[in-house]
Amino acid sequence: MVGHAETQRGAPTATIERLCRYQQVLAQLERDGVKTVSSGEIGRLVATNAAQVRKDLSHFGEFGTRGLGYSVTELRARLRGILGLGERRNIAIIGAGNLGSALADYPGFEGRGFNVIAVFDNNPAKIGHRRHGMRVRPLGELATVARETGIDIAVIAVPEPAAQSVADTVIAAGVSAILNFAPKHLHAPPQIVIRNVNMTSQLEYLSYFLALGEGPPEEGA
Amino acid sequence: MVGHAETQRGAPTATIERLCRYQQVLAQLERDGVKTVSSGEIGRLVATNAAQVRKDLSHFGEFGTRGLGYSVTELRARLRGILGLGERRNIAIIGAGNLGSALADYPGFEGRGFNVIAVFDNNPAKIGHRRHGMRVRPLGELATVARETGIDIAVIAVPEPAAQSVADTVIAAGVSAILNFAPKHLHAPPQIVIRNVNMTSQLEYLSYFLALGEGPPEEGA
């Protein structure tokens, strides 16, 4: 959902999105025992092309050997380094409704180093109940958890009217990265990274192809 | 999460993603009573730049008047036409767990013409219970609903091991667009459009900025 703004290192945000996908297909290739891969093959697997793969990687130095392709293991390790995926990240989920509960149990997080350490809600009917094996905590305890355990990323899964106030609480607690599921633009100081997931946009994107009445482009997983 | 594959009309998929966001900011500008807007202003609101906005629009003909900008109402109407947003779309949700339930109740859908018409599950403990005011139906009834009511988009919100078999059922029922939340690459014939929403990718994207230890790029809502 991010445009082509430049990061301070000069890589467009769309490049970072694609690096995440390259890393994922490399992980799959590694599991499949594949040793080397070409930029064309990576491109095919993520629905882009060889030139785009090479251009994206060129932001971060030299990779691979012309004519021989990339070592799967080596390229994956370097992408993991660039994306900071070596470290475990502590995730706090705010909102213990259906969406927050689904995210707390999302099977892909733990194996990828994203550790859901707390679930918060302001609803007394939800506080104390268990989600993902943890007691739902009142939002007022967020600052304490941030200070004592550390929260790297806050996931906002609350109704739209509460989203900004939750974001303010999260930011005041010193959390610098937010994944926002509320269909609302959040105001935040420039040093805070916010990633918005807009479900309606996903359907609108599909609508274009329905309107076209034609086949889709290829798509990566 | 889609790359730069070309659609049959020649517009890159990234362009379609941005058109969705342009349409959303134009809707907000229209609500705010703004009459005209420049490509630079649209670019700023969605974290891209004026040249990108003009290039994206150029795939679909002539827009705006040089030096005068775009009429908000007119541009929005044309984008809605391109994206096929004039029509109501029938949405079926498969999976009545936390995620499917959250999606059934997602507040942004109905107002945007996305009409959740049915929720399906294969779990006898869930069938018959209500979600979004509707009785959860057995997956075996999907073909009937597709034939009688019409399903434009199927949302797959089931555990990973069940996702491919659900996709096969959906495709066999004649549904041609799928929004997939299962962390799994689905196999489908080329005429089926699949949009994958990978939650882990969203966290990995944020991880890059945490690793960078710097501010984010701007981001559109």
Side-chain angles (χ1 to χ4, degrees):
Chain A
M1 305 279 139
V2 181
H4 286 242
E6 298 285 315
T7 68
Q8 288 180 34
R9 258 192 204 169
T13 55
T15 290
I16 308 310
E17 297 184 337
R18 282 189 299 268
L19 290 188
C20 296
R21 289 155 51 214
Y22 300 159
Q23 195 279 129
Q24 285 162 15
V25 302
L26 288 163
Q28 184 60 56
L29 290 171
E30 205 170 24
R31 282 193 295 275
D32 294 347
V34 177
K35 297 293 179 210
T36 61
V37 66
S38 66
S39 50
E41 178 66 6
I42 296 173
R44 195 186 63 74
L45 289 168
V46 303
T48 183
N49 57 56
Q52 183 70 64
V53 173
R54 288 194 298 264
K55 188 176 169 202
D56 287 338
L57 296 178
S58 73
H59 290 282
F60 303 95
E62 296 282 329
F63 293 85
T65 309
R66 183 172 288 272
L68 293 178
Y70 307 99
S71 152
V72 169
T73 304
E74 195 182 309
L75 181 58
R76 180 169 180 235
R78 286 188 63 184
L79 291 183
R80 287 180 59 81
I82 292 165
L83 294 170
L85 302 183
E87 287 185 59
R88 288 194 71 76
R89 304 286 186 194
N90 287 345
I91 310 298
I93 292 175
I94 300 120
N98 282 320
L99 181 59
S101 303
L103 292 167
D105 284 332
Y106 192 69
F109 289 165
E110 304 269 311
R112 299 282 183 81
F114 296 103
N115 193 17
V116 177
I117 57 144
V119 180
F120 297 93
D121 205 296
N122 252 348
N123 182 345
K126 294 205 175 104
I127 293 167
H129 286 251
R130 295 185 87 79
R131 292 287 186 285
H132 195 63
M134 288 172 298
R135 190 179 61 84
V136 176
R137 308 171 70 135
L139 190 57
E141 293 181 10
L142 188 133
T144 309
V145 172
R147 197 171 52 240
E148 293 179 356
T149 311
I151 297 173
D152 297 304
I153 300 174
V155 177
I156 298 187
V158 300
E160 180 176 342
Q164 183 65 54
S165 130
V166 165
D168 294 344
T169 302
V170 159
I171 293 164
V175 179
S176 64
I178 295 174
L179 182 61
N180 174 38
F181 284 88
K184 179 176 181 59
H185 177 79
L186 299 175
H187 298 279
Q191 71 276 18
I192 307 299
V193 209
I194 301 179
R195 178 82 170 162
N196 294 299
V197 181
N198 183 326
M199 302 293 184
T200 311
S201 293
Q202 310 294 334
L203 293 178
E204 289 180 349
Y205 175 90
L206 288 170
S207 174
Y208 168 78
F209 295 100
L210 293 171
L212 222 51
E214 71 178 20
E218 318 134 58
E219 150 131 6
Chain B
M1 301 289 131
V2 180
H4 286 241
E6 298 284 316
T7 68
Q8 287 181 35
R9 258 192 204 170
T13 56
T15 290
I16 308 309
E17 297 184 337
R18 282 190 298 269
L19 290 188
C20 295
R21 288 156 50 213
Y22 300 159
Q23 194 279 132
Q24 285 162 14
V25 302
L26 288 163
Q28 185 60 55
L29 291 171
E30 205 171 24
R31 282 194 294 273
D32 294 347
V34 177
K35 298 294 180 207
T36 60
V37 67
S38 67
S39 49
E41 178 66 6
I42 296 173
R44 195 185 63 73
L45 290 169
V46 304
T48 182
N49 57 55
Q52 183 70 65
V53 173
R54 288 194 297 265
K55 188 176 169 203
D56 287 338
L57 295 178
S58 73
H59 290 285
F60 303 95
E62 295 283 330
F63 293 84
T65 308
R66 184 172 287 271
L68 292 178
Y70 307 99
S71 153
V72 169
T73 305
E74 194 181 309
L75 182 56
R76 179 169 181 236
R78 286 188 62 186
L79 290 183
R80 287 180 59 79
I82 291 165
L83 295 170
L85 303 183
E87 288 185 58
R88 288 193 72 76
R89 304 287 185 194
N90 287 346
I91 310 299
I93 292 174
I94 301 118
N98 282 321
L99 181 58
S101 304
L103 293 167
D105 284 331
Y106 191 69
F109 289 164
E110 303 268 312
R112 298 281 184 82
F114 296 103
N115 193 18
V116 177
I117 57 144
V119 179
F120 297 93
D121 206 295
N122 252 349
N123 182 344
K126 295 206 175 101
I127 293 167
H129 287 250
R130 295 184 89 79
R131 292 288 187 285
H132 195 62
M134 288 171 299
R135 189 178 62 82
V136 176
R137 307 172 69 135
L139 190 57
E141 293 182 9
L142 187 133
T144 309
V145 172
R147 198 170 51 239
E148 293 179 355
T149 311
I151 297 173
D152 297 305
I153 301 174
V155 177
I156 297 187
V158 300
E160 180 176 343
Q164 183 65 55
S165 131
V166 164
D168 294 344
T169 302
V170 160
I171 292 164
V175 178
S176 64
I178 294 174
L179 183 61
N180 174 38
F181 284 88
K184 179 177 179 56
H185 177 78
L186 299 175
H187 298 280
Q191 72 275 18
I192 308 298
V193 208
I194 300 179
R195 178 83 169 160
N196 295 300
V197 180
N198 183 325
M199 302 294 184
T200 312
S201 292
Q202 311 294 333
L203 294 177
E204 289 180 349
Y205 175 89
L206 288 170
S207 174
Y208 169 78
F209 295 100
L210 293 171
L212 221 50
E214 70 178 19
E218 317 134 58
E219 150 132 3

